[in-house]
Amino acid sequence: DESTAVDAVSIFPSPAADYVLVSLAPEETEAEISLLDPLGRVVLRTRDPVIDVSALPAGRYIVRIELRDAVVVRSVVVVR
């Protein structure tokens, strides 16, 4: 069920200083994860659910997760 997969996506911690973990529903085995800055520019693209944000400037970022049947958008705050 698409809504179950979307609802099961969580991102923590937020605020984050070193890393962000993207948690997916168990049935989601692959996801393309993009991190966008406040201007919408892609600053990182990965399939790894552990995202290193230690080199990024402080601020709010958009995390875009492309699942098999859906796209999930969440935000995360990076602090220094």
Side-chain angles (χ1 to χ4, degrees):
D1 181 345
E2 179 182 322
S3 65
T4 302
V6 169
D7 292 341
V9 173
S10 62
I11 298 172
F12 54 91
S14 184
D18 299 316
Y19 70 91
V20 174
L21 178 63
V22 177
S23 177
L24 304 172
E27 64 272 10
E28 293 296 336
T29 55
E30 272 196 33
E32 178 75 30
I33 302 166
S34 301
L35 193 64
L36 292 81
D37 71 9
L39 299 176
R41 297 176 297 206
V42 175
V43 294
L44 185 136
R45 187 168 276 141
T46 185
R47 290 187 181 278
D48 187 347
V50 179
I51 303 170
D52 182 355
V53 296
S54 62
L56 296 175
R60 182 174 300 275
Y61 291 83
I62 300 299
V63 183
R64 185 175 191 273
I65 304 116
E66 295 178 41
L67 305 172
R68 265 190 327 249
D69 300 320
V71 174
V72 180
V73 177
R74 300 279 192 265
S75 68
V76 64
V77 175
V78 173
V79 294
R80 293 286 146 248

